[in-house]
Amino acid sequence: MALGRGAIVVADSQMGATSAVGAIALGEGATVAADTTGASDKTPVSADGAVVIGRNAKALASADRSSVSNSVAIGTNSYINGDASIAIGFGAGEGGGTDTAYQTGDNVALGRSAGSQVNGATNLGVGSLAGVNVAGDKNTAMGAGAGNSVTGDRNLALGYQAGSVVQGLSSSGPVATDNLAVGSYAGNN
């Protein structure tokens, strides 16, 4: 179901199976899409049960990101590109999952631009600009600006701008794992 000027729910496929059963898009330009147009393989994609509410809110599944099923995006420019994920707030989740080396899904972003540019799964960003530019899995950022520019897994940042720019070094590049930052500005590099 789509309601609003330019709102659309679409399952479009030239090569593989797509589905958007029970998907809902409410708001001007709100979009739920499962699209494999131009894909080189027959990867099935799904947007079943996805709900987007807000101007330009989006849940997009493609050959690179196979599912946005059972996901929710609420707020202007909020964006979902992984299974069972939630983005609530202006720009929450926007631009996420552009790096196909990471699987996305089970991410939660609550707050203005929280969880935007996230590549990974099971990440949580709560607060304005929390958990922005994250590459990794199982990271938690709570507090305005907490957990920004994190590369790695299982990092926890609690407090105003705690754990911003958390990165380490490994032979494969910058990676920070199992770090804890609690308190305003704690753990900033």
Side-chain angles (χ1 to χ4, degrees), residues 5-75:
R5 187 176 76 193
I8 187 169
V9 173
V10 63
D12 186 20
S13 172
Q14 291 182 355
M15 300 282 290
T18 63
S19 176
V21 175
I24 298 170
L26 301 174
E28 180 182 343
T31 304
V32 174
D35 187 3
T36 59
T37 302
S40 60
D41 60 13
K42 295 183 185 256
T43 304
V45 301
S46 173
D48 292 349
V51 175
V52 298
I53 300 171
R55 186 172 186 242
N56 296 318
K58 298 192 182 335
L60 305 174
S62 66
D64 291 334
R65 298 284 178 223
S66 61
S67 179
V68 292
S69 293
N70 304 310
S71 292
V72 176
I74 299 173

Side-chain angles (χ1 to χ4, degrees), residues 129-134 141 144-150 161-166:
L129 299 168
V132 175
N133 293 322
V134 173
N148 287 327
S149 297
V150 174
Q161 293 191 5
S164 292
V165 192
V166 175

